[in-house]
Amino acid sequence: MMTNTRKWYSEIVLLHCVGMLMILFAHIAHANGYMNVGELLITGVPLFLFVSGFLVGVKPVPHDMAWLLKKAKRILVPYYILLIVVLILYLLLQTEPFKIKQWIILFADLQGLTNFLFYNDLTGYYSPLAQGLGHFWFVTIIMLCYLLVPLFEKYASSGFWKKHSIAIIVTTVFVVQPVLLFYNVQISALVVFFLGYLFAKNGIEMTGKKFISMTLAMILLFGCRLIMRNYIDGTVIYNRYIANLSNYAIGLWIVALFFYLRIRIPKIIDGISSWRFVLWLESIIYEIYLVHHIIIKGSYSIYRYVDNSFIATIIVIMITALFSIVLQAISKIISIKIQ
């Protein structure tokens, strides 16, 4: 297993941006009542996870704490800055009853465990968080992925994995995950992260045949979801497995599409990825993720104060961009001081 030698991945730059924009507009669609549109756009989540895994996989991972601390600083410094600001606003404005248990969970970064270990009920999802902070589950999950990387790298380089990688992936998705549902465990986010990692490590080329195969697989899984929705919608097996599987299949198909386009039209893909706006957007993507949902949903939602949904959406985008720039700048200053 060898790390890719290519230094610039234009398709990954674009996937990073597209994934974040899909998540942003998914939540905007939900806020405006377009639930079906939001459910389709939320497939930006697996794009985000795949890209995160890919970016880890393109470089060797040192087996020491320095690498993990570097990742933790990048993820947790802006997270805690924003968390403190939101906590102060909650205390000053008293927009919701203060529940100390919620904030202990948030500051311990345990909130995402509800996306890994969940309650086995018909709702399919439970979060103890204050309004507008439900998207912070990602912070827990991405840190869990980073914690597992050194262990995974050790075993992913073994001869057994190389020989049986496809069988292991298929078994995990279609056998292990359904069984784990009975124990209230959801590992789809981890699977997609490490698929991105393996994709980078193996330098897989997206040929026309592979792209067609992934297209057919995506259509099949999405078709199964539409059929099963008529019979078991609202159950744990549908909400936590079938719907998730089809969403992640669409997300991975978009990944395949961009890798395929990079082969077919490299000049166009490389050109777009080098635009200043695209590079600027990618530089604040994580901060956009942290900020956006707080001003879309919950006590500080722009939609509560602006009646015109179009104008409200423009304001959401502008405030998200502005706050993301400020959050990134403060995070960089603090990160330098704690080195």
Side-chain angles (χ1 to χ4, degrees):
M1 183 177 290
M2 297 181 64
T3 303
N4 271 327
T5 57
R6 192 150 54 103
K7 294 181 179 180
W8 176 256
Y9 295 89
S10 54
E11 60 270 58
I12 286 295
V13 172
L14 295 179
L15 280 168
H16 215 181
C17 295
V18 169
M20 185 61 259
L21 290 174
M22 288 178 71
I23 295 170
L24 171 63
F25 284 102
H27 289 143
I28 288 174
H30 284 155
N32 287 283
Y34 300 107
M35 304 308 294
N36 290 334
V37 175
E39 286 304 305
L40 183 62
L41 291 175
I42 208 66
T43 54
V45 171
L47 294 192
F48 221 46
L49 288 162
F50 182 94
V51 168
S52 298
F54 188 95
L55 292 174
V56 171
V58 293
K59 297 179 180 179
V61 177
H63 288 217
D64 55 37
M65 286 297 294
W67 179 85
L68 186 59
L69 289 174
K70 181 180 178 181
K71 291 296 182 183
K73 187 164 63 173
R74 173 68 184 106
I75 297 299
L76 296 179
V77 168
Y79 167 69
Y80 282 125
I81 292 171
L82 185 60
L83 200 57
I84 290 170
V85 171
V86 174
L87 174 58
I88 292 171
L89 288 174
Y90 269 88
L91 293 174
L92 290 176
L93 302 178
Q94 296 182 341
T95 52
E96 293 180 37
F98 179 78
K99 298 179 181 178
I100 191 168
K101 180 181 177 181
Q102 293 180 347
W103 294 96
I104 290 174
I105 289 172
L106 284 164
F107 276 96
D109 191 24
L110 299 177
Q111 67 281 350
L113 293 182
T114 55
N115 279 60
F116 184 66
L117 304 170
F118 62 97
Y119 292 85
N120 190 9
D121 61 15
L122 294 180
T123 63
Y125 180 78
Y126 168 79
S127 174
L129 305 185
Q131 289 187 45
L133 306 184
H135 66 304
F136 282 168
W137 68 266
F138 181 83
V139 181
T140 308
I141 295 301
I142 197 65
M143 284 307 305
L144 179 60
C145 288
Y146 288 147
L147 282 170
L148 294 173
V149 163
L151 179 65
F152 190 82
E153 184 162 270
K154 178 180 178 181
Y155 289 100
S157 60
S158 67
F160 179 82
W161 170 267
K162 291 179 182 179
K163 187 176 180 180
H164 303 288
S165 58
I166 295 178
I168 293 171
I169 292 170
V170 171
T171 303
T172 300
V173 173
F174 294 103
V175 179
V176 176
Q177 177 59 90
V179 171
L180 288 177
L181 284 179
F182 291 101
Y183 299 95
N184 303 334
V185 177
Q186 172 64 262
I187 62 170
S188 56
L190 303 182
V191 170
V192 173
F193 176 91
F194 285 107
L195 278 176
Y197 170 89
L198 290 170
F199 200 97
K201 284 291 183 185
N202 287 282
I204 298 173
E205 183 179 355
M206 186 54 60
T207 62
K209 284 186 178 181
K210 290 176 182 176
F211 179 67
I212 291 173
S213 297
M214 290 197 68
T215 302
L216 293 175
M218 182 272 293
I219 294 172
L220 176 63
L221 290 171
F222 189 72
C224 289
R225 174 183 179 173
L226 293 178
I227 294 171
M228 299 305 292
R229 184 174 62 178
N230 295 322
Y231 300 99
I232 57 173
D233 188 14
T235 63
V236 169
I237 191 68
Y238 180 83
N239 291 352
R240 280 287 186 169
Y241 182 66
I242 295 174
N244 242 19
L245 190 61
S246 69
N247 280 344
Y248 279 58
I250 294 171
L252 291 176
W253 178 80
I254 296 173
V255 169
L257 174 64
F258 274 76
F259 273 87
Y260 182 64
L261 291 176
R262 172 57 178 71
I263 294 174
R264 300 291 296 180
I265 48 173
K267 289 184 178 180
I268 295 176
I269 298 299
D270 291 346
I272 295 174
S273 69
S274 63
W275 289 353
R276 287 187 179 181
F277 173 77
V278 173
L279 295 174
W280 169 77
L281 181 63
E282 197 203 17
S283 71
I284 58 170
I285 275 178
Y286 178 58
E287 286 75 16
I288 291 174
Y289 180 87
L290 291 178
V291 169
H292 80 282
H293 201 236
I294 296 171
I295 58 175
I296 290 176
K297 182 180 179 181
S299 303
Y300 314 112
S301 172
I302 299 299
Y303 294 98
R304 284 189 173 193
Y305 306 103
V306 180
D307 292 332
N308 187 296
S309 60
F310 177 76
I311 295 175
T313 298
I314 298 299
I315 295 173
V316 163
I317 294 171
M318 293 174 64
I319 293 179
T320 297
L322 177 61
F323 281 15
S324 297
I325 293 169
V326 173
L327 179 59
Q328 185 190 65
I330 297 172
S331 300
K332 284 182 177 179
I333 294 171
I334 294 176
S335 295
I336 291 172
K337 290 184 178 296
I338 62 176
Q339 278 183 350

